[in-house]
């Protein structure tokens, strides 16, 4: 296999390589921007669908609660039935809210396993350097 050397000077070849690399990087950045924009549009659609589902679920919960009040009112009276159903729903809401708030605490959001892993890696590097066990 023969290799024909490019007759252009090294500076010209290097300049061409840099220009091509620059075009490649710009193309990749443009592709990434387009992909991110599409993903954001898809996420927006997903959020909209979830909001619609939430509204319908709340309407359904209201109707089901009214049906439960109507059913219980035959045994304990309408006022007590409404109070009982309301208290049960409120207790469930408080439990969900407390669990949700707990999940949003900063210490629960931090990447604690990664932090511990990085700290362990740093400690291992320090010990290796301190003991002179590094290779040259």
């Amino acid at each position: 296999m023969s290799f024909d050397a490019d007759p252009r000077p090294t500076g010209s070849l290097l300049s061409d390589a840099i220009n091509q690399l620059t075009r490649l990087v710009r193309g990749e950045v443009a592709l990434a921007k387009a992909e991110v924009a599409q993903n954001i549009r898809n996420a927006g659609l997903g959020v909209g669908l979830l909001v619609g589902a939430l509204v319908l679920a709340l309407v359904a919960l209201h109707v089901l609660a009214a049906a439960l009040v109507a059913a219980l009112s035959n045994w304990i009276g309408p006022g007590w039935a409404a109070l009982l159903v309301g208290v049960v729903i409120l207790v469930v809401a408080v439990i969900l809210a407390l669990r949700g708030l707990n999940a949003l605490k900063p210490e629960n959001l931090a990447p604690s396993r990664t932090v511990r892993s990085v700290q362990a890696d740093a400690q291992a590097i320090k010990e290796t350097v301190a003991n002179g066990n590094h290779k040259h």
Side-chain angles (χ1 to χ4, degrees), residues 3-4 9 14 46 56 84 102 131:
F3 177 73
D4 293 331
L14 185 58
L56 291 176
L84 177 65
N102 187 47
N131 293 333

Side-chain angles (χ1 to χ4, degrees), residues 23-113:
R23 280 196 304 267
L24 176 64
V25 169
R26 285 182 182 156
E28 292 295 339
V29 168
L31 178 61
K33 284 180 181 180
E35 186 175 3
V36 166
Q38 180 63 42
N39 290 345
I40 289 173
R41 282 191 295 274
N42 289 342
L45 175 63
V47 168
L49 292 172
L50 285 174
V51 167
L54 179 62
V55 168
L56 291 176
L58 289 174
V59 170
L61 179 62
H62 182 75
V63 169
L64 291 172
L68 185 57
V69 167
L72 289 175
S73 66
N74 292 332
W75 291 293
I76 59 175
W80 288 109
L83 179 65
L84 177 65
V85 171
V87 166
V88 169
I89 291 173
L90 183 61
V91 167
V92 171
V94 168
I95 291 170
L96 292 175
L98 291 174
R99 295 215 38 203
L101 288 172
N102 187 47
L104 293 175
K105 287 182 179 176
E107 60 267 17
N108 292 336
L109 296 175
S112 56
R113 289 181 295 189

